[in-house]
Amino acid sequence: MPLPEAFDYAVPDGMEVRPGDHVHAPLGPRSARGVVWSVAHDDGSRNLKPLDGLIGGAPLAEGNLAFIDWASKYLVQLPGNVLRAMLRGEDALRPSPVETVYRPSGEEPTRLTEARQRVLDAADLLGEASAADLAREAGVSSGVVSGLVKAGGLVAEERPADPPFADPDPEGEGLALTELQADAAATLRRLVRAGGFQSALLDGVTGSGKTEVYFEAIAEALRTHSDGQILVLLPEIALTQAIMARFKERFGAEPAEWHSGLNPKQRRRVWREINEGRARIVVGARSALFLPFRKLSLVVVDEEHDPTYKQGEGLTYQARDLAVARAKIDGATVILASATPSLESLANARAGRYVHIRLPARIGAAVLPDISTIDLRETPAEAGRWLSPPMVEAMAETFERGEQTLLYLNRRGYAPLVLCRACGHRFQSPDTDTPLVEHRYTGRLVCHLTGFSMPKPDTCPDCGAKDSLTSVGPGVERVAEEAKALFPQAVVEIFSSDISGGGEALRDLIARMERSEIDILVGTQIAAKGHNFPNLTLVGVVDADLGLAGGDPRAGERTYQTLVQVAGRAGRADRKGRAILQTHDPDHDAIAALVAGDRDRFLDVESQAREMLGLPPYGRLASIVVSAESEDKVIAAAAELARTAPRADGVEIWGPAEPRYGVLRGRWRRRLLVRADKSVDISAYLASWKARVKIPASVRVVMDVDPYSFV
Ligand SMILES: [Zn+2]
């Protein structure tokens, strides 16, 4: 429950509890579920209510309690809300239910009727099956099944409905490692063997075989920490099932899996096996971080730069950062792996806090594609169109060769940028250099970072041209429409996380793209992940400017990462892909570095810009979104928040600003941003602010430490 702290109860005579035990306790008129946080002696004078009873099962291990304490402080969340993220239904605390399954005995039954024969055929087909499944398959009543057991044709066997996971074998045979891989693996094995908290950044280009390298670290953890558990986080795991097969090949057993595609029974099994310490390897999406591990010996965060590690709704957290904290609490090794590490992790590596392990490209492996730019000032798209003639030409060539094009838009939402068609002037916020975003309903240009706004002028303030201002900002649907009109014979599809049909529709799109059944895919970030599209040879970035300067300080980094990721999917060694960037500013430092394929220069440019503004990883950010059912209420509450902001050295408050979505799901919104120097404990700052401000109950205030979304 959303309570600020633990409540005290008496332990009834004859009951013994330990920290982490699951209990029922009286709360007002009812009995509520809870977890024992600590046990202390008391002289009985406080007249505490006694606990109602123990639920059973293994108590939450100590590391979990410490992690919840830490996370609730860090995220400025009530501990009850964080604890809730870890708990499952009470049935996960009880032993697995037992089910009866039937299989053929191999003997002829004493009397063989036609119905019985159908059941035996069904049993041959299904192997082990429940009576209900057998009866359904054979089209008979379940009485026929039990009759067959008596007649000797079937044997019944009891087995747990949630069987334990098979033990992984560290000595399973892996792929042969190259010398570079072997060196990297040796370093990781050494860290794992030494034990205690250690972190490493496995920085290897696409195709350098990072997975095989961290498999060696997993094997070492299995060997040397016999009671330790291993957590591997993967983004979009529901879409990348191929990796599970590789685990099975290497370790001879499937790991426990955790993601949104599991049904309640599968979740109960995984949760219980982890809580009891029997599941050794767990591969999961970001929420796997909140599973009740007994003791972690190794945590791997694959594709550590991936923005989907940020949970942006409800309990907001950045799973990569929390994974490092969890590893620290449990004294585990943590490996962050990526072909395009985040600036945060690179900064840690450069400062010596992470062991930096590089895996350069193998000779002959496909590397970055040829990257070129189209200067939209010279060859603009037609009015109301988004693809310029040279891009259309490149798409036509690709289509004629029977190869595939990916048109990439780095934003899913509607994110216009206002600029002058005549001179390229872009409207920027005077304080932060970020572009101003057009708000159509108010006719104003707004800075989403600071709240600065101005009416949209009729003439360009730079060159004086009249009616030359244009807002650039197509959504994926709009570009797909244009591609369809240009290539009526081509199969054009949209790939974006908000398409109807959800994960299944996306998996279907991936499969069709792999089989080359799609000619032109118009996609967002999600199109870049973990997929192998061998016939994809052209990546067109529709608007590189939007990516390099949105209201989001990480947008440029994300564009770069996506390009490299997409490029890793494009072409093969014998058929190199190419990437074309449409831009109004081809001389921009970051664009120039991209074209040169110079990662270090690109990162230097990005780092300097962030350092200058004191943005992560050189400073801290937190966002505060206020929402209410009326505009008056939200304005008043946001003003009250701004008024009560504690003064502190090294802290700046930006806003209140109207976010891109001024109204969302029927609620009016305002946003404040807190920027703090790295030395400031931004969580403690927010907590003290929260404690002093009085906000009406009808107004919602959501604090997000380390925000990744700025809408
Ligand atoms: Zn102009």
Side-chain angles (χ1 to χ4, degrees):
M1 298 183 71
L3 300 171
E5 58 188 355
F7 287 179
D8 291 349
Y9 291 93
V11 182
D13 285 341
M15 188 195 287
E16 270 195 45
V17 296
R18 301 153 289 181
D21 266 331
H22 302 266
V23 294
H24 288 133
L27 192 74
R30 64 196 187 94
S31 184
R33 180 168 165 199
V35 172
V36 176
W37 223 249
S38 62
V39 182
H41 287 286
D42 181 86
D43 62 7
S45 63
R46 290 170 65 201
N47 199 20
L48 296 171
K49 286 184 188 166
L51 290 172
D52 290 331
L54 261 175
I55 301 175
L60 286 183
E62 222 175 291
N64 295 303
L65 306 188
F67 175 62
I68 288 167
D69 279 336
W70 177 86
S72 69
K73 280 201 188 73
Y74 183 81
L75 302 171
V76 201
Q77 291 278 349
L78 297 168
N81 287 345
V82 184
L83 173 61
R84 186 174 52 193
M86 187 171 286
L87 298 183
R88 306 276 331 150
E90 288 180 20
D91 52 353
L93 289 166
R94 296 191 201 99
S96 168
V98 170
E99 60 185 11
T100 308
V101 290
Y102 300 85
R103 56 182 167 75
S105 64
E107 318 246 315
E108 190 83 352
T110 47
R111 193 171 64 85
L112 190 60
T113 63
E114 195 219 334
R116 284 181 170 182
Q117 185 59 55
R118 287 214 299 275
V119 171
L120 287 178
D121 292 345
D124 279 336
L125 188 75
L126 298 176
E128 285 188 344
S130 68
D133 285 346
L134 275 177
R136 195 178 316 117
E137 181 70 27
V140 301
S141 74
S142 56
V144 181
V145 177
S146 42
L148 253 178
V149 177
K150 285 196 201 94
L154 288 177
V155 278
E157 205 179 319
E158 309 255 285
R159 68 163 190 202
D162 307 342
F165 293 93
D167 261 340
D169 174 13
E171 313 310 336
E173 203 177 321
L175 298 177
L177 300 184
T178 64
E179 205 173 311
L180 286 166
Q181 284 176 309
D183 284 351
T187 305
L188 290 178
R189 271 199 304 268
R190 209 157 45 235
L191 291 179
V192 170
R193 233 183 354 257
F197 173 62
Q198 309 253 22
S199 27
L201 175 62
L202 184 55
D203 177 359
V205 299
T206 309
S208 60
K210 288 184 292 296
T211 310
E212 296 302 329
V213 172
Y214 71 64
F215 275 4
E216 292 307 304
I218 292 174
E220 190 67 13
L222 289 170
R223 274 182 217 116
T224 52
H225 304 280
S226 59
D227 57 346
Q229 290 167 306
I230 295 148
L231 168 64
V232 182
L233 291 179
L234 285 168
E236 307 290 346
I237 184 177
L239 298 178
T240 54
Q241 285 290 302
I243 185 100
M244 300 310 279
R246 292 178 68 183
F247 271 95
K248 191 168 182 194
E249 260 166 51
R250 174 65 178 82
F251 300 106
E254 261 170 28
E257 229 180 297
W258 185 263
H259 54 78
S260 58
L262 300 188
N263 63 34
K265 183 175 173 236
Q266 291 168 318
R267 282 170 192 272
R268 179 183 71 194
R269 174 189 179 204
V270 172
W271 197 96
R272 181 191 300 109
E273 293 305 307
I274 291 172
N275 190 45
E276 298 284 343
R278 287 186 294 256
R280 296 291 308 278
I281 306 179
V282 181
V283 180
R286 62 182 177 222
S287 61
L289 194 61
F290 289 97
L291 287 166
F293 294 98
R294 296 230 69 76
K295 184 162 173 38
L296 285 165
S297 57
L298 174 64
V299 179
V300 178
V301 184
D302 203 356
E303 309 288 353
E304 65 87 27
H305 65 278
D306 196 287
T308 60
Y309 278 128
K310 176 71 185 192
Q311 160 81 37
E313 304 243 309
L315 179 69
T316 61
Y317 59 89
Q318 170 29 289
R320 176 198 59 220
D321 299 347
L322 262 60
V324 174
R326 257 212 104 150
K328 195 169 186 177
I329 287 169
D330 276 10
T333 307
V334 61
I335 300 170
L336 309 180
S338 175
T340 53
S342 62
L343 278 191
E344 278 82 356
S345 298
L346 277 172
N348 278 322
R350 283 180 180 173
R353 285 185 290 271
Y354 293 175
V355 179
H356 196 170
I357 302 168
R358 287 174 191 265
L359 275 178
R362 287 187 305 230
I363 298 160
V367 284
L368 272 179
D370 291 324
I371 301 180
S372 59
T373 56
I374 294 172
D375 187 341
L376 290 174
R377 292 170 307 185
E378 285 172 13
T379 51
E382 287 170 43
R385 304 251 176 174
W386 311 104
L387 304 172
S388 80
M391 181 72 88
V392 175
E393 203 177 303
M395 290 170 67
E397 286 164 18
T398 307
F399 182 53
E400 276 157 27
R401 280 200 303 268
E403 295 169 1
Q404 295 169 298
T405 296
L406 170 67
L407 290 178
Y408 170 66
L409 270 185
N410 34 38
R411 275 173 197 277
R412 176 166 46 116
Y414 200 84
L417 158 78
V418 179
L419 48 84
C420 171
R421 238 191 313 245
C423 72
H425 172 79
R426 63 169 73 197
F427 286 83
Q428 289 181 326
S429 171
D431 305 321
T432 64
D433 269 8
T434 53
L436 295 176
V437 176
E438 184 179 11
H439 279 236
R440 295 189 167 178
Y441 49 92
T442 56
R444 296 182 77 84
L445 306 179
V446 182
C447 172
H448 286 155
L449 268 178
T450 65
F452 169 85
S453 81
M454 60 183 274
K456 187 181 173 190
D458 297 328
T459 53
C460 171
D462 210 24
C463 72
K466 208 168 162 46
D467 296 329
S468 67
L469 302 187
T470 179
S471 45
V472 184
V476 275
E477 289 87 358
R478 208 164 174 183
V479 171
E481 232 173 57
E482 186 177 340
K484 272 179 200 156
L486 287 165
F487 302 98
Q489 277 87 43
V491 178
V492 180
E493 294 287 358
I494 295 165
F495 197 79
S496 143
S497 58
D498 56 359
I499 64 166
S500 61
E504 203 173 315
L506 288 175
R507 278 192 290 277
D508 183 53
L509 273 179
I510 293 168
R512 288 175 54 207
M513 189 71 186
E514 283 168 351
R515 293 195 300 263
S516 207
E517 291 169 12
I518 296 168
D519 300 306
I520 301 169
L521 191 65
V522 186
T524 58
Q525 189 81 30
I526 192 171
K529 273 177 224 148
H531 319 305
N532 184 25
F533 303 140
N535 200 31
L536 171 69
T537 55
L538 173 63
V539 175
V541 178
V542 177
D543 196 335
D545 301 328
L546 264 182
L548 290 167
D552 176 353
R554 289 186 188 84
E557 179 188 354
R558 213 170 288 173
T559 299
Y560 181 79
Q561 287 162 345
T562 303
L563 262 177
V564 175
Q565 298 279 327
V566 172
R569 317 294 161 212
R572 284 183 289 218
D574 58 334
R575 196 167 51 183
K576 204 174 176 190
R578 57 175 167 162
I580 303 179
L581 282 61
Q582 297 193 145
T583 173
H584 286 90
D585 195 1
D587 301 325
H588 189 287
D589 283 347
I591 300 250
L594 267 178
V595 171
D598 186 344
R599 169 180 124 170
D600 288 343
R601 194 174 127 217
F602 175 82
L603 293 171
D604 284 345
V605 169
E606 277 288 300
S607 301
Q608 281 160 16
R610 297 237 203 125
E611 199 162 12
M612 223 165 63
L613 296 169
L615 293 172
Y618 305 97
R620 304 285 314 276
L621 272 186
S623 91
I624 304 175
V625 173
V626 189
S627 67
E629 276 166 9
S630 84
E631 190 175 19
D632 293 348
K633 271 190 191 165
V634 83
I635 289 173
E640 180 61 11
L641 262 170
R643 195 183 64 77
T644 52
R647 273 172 208 280
D649 284 341
V651 177
E652 290 165 75
I653 312 291
W654 292 337
E658 188 176 344
R660 190 176 312 148
Y661 302 117
V663 180
L664 197 62
R665 295 182 201 111
R667 295 180 73 87
W668 295 78
R669 305 166 81 231
R670 286 290 185 277
R671 200 192 58 213
L672 294 101
L673 269 185
V674 183
R675 194 215 64 80
D677 290 348
K678 207 144 189 188
S679 55
V680 173
D681 182 345
I682 201 168
S683 305
Y685 177 86
L686 291 174
S688 75
W689 191 355
K690 211 175 183 177
R692 67 154 77 177
V693 68
K694 296 236 178 323
I695 297 286
S698 61
V699 176
R700 206 177 296 151
V701 176
V702 176
M703 294 184 166
D704 183 5
V705 177
D706 308 325
Y708 275 61
S709 165
F710 298 85
V711 295

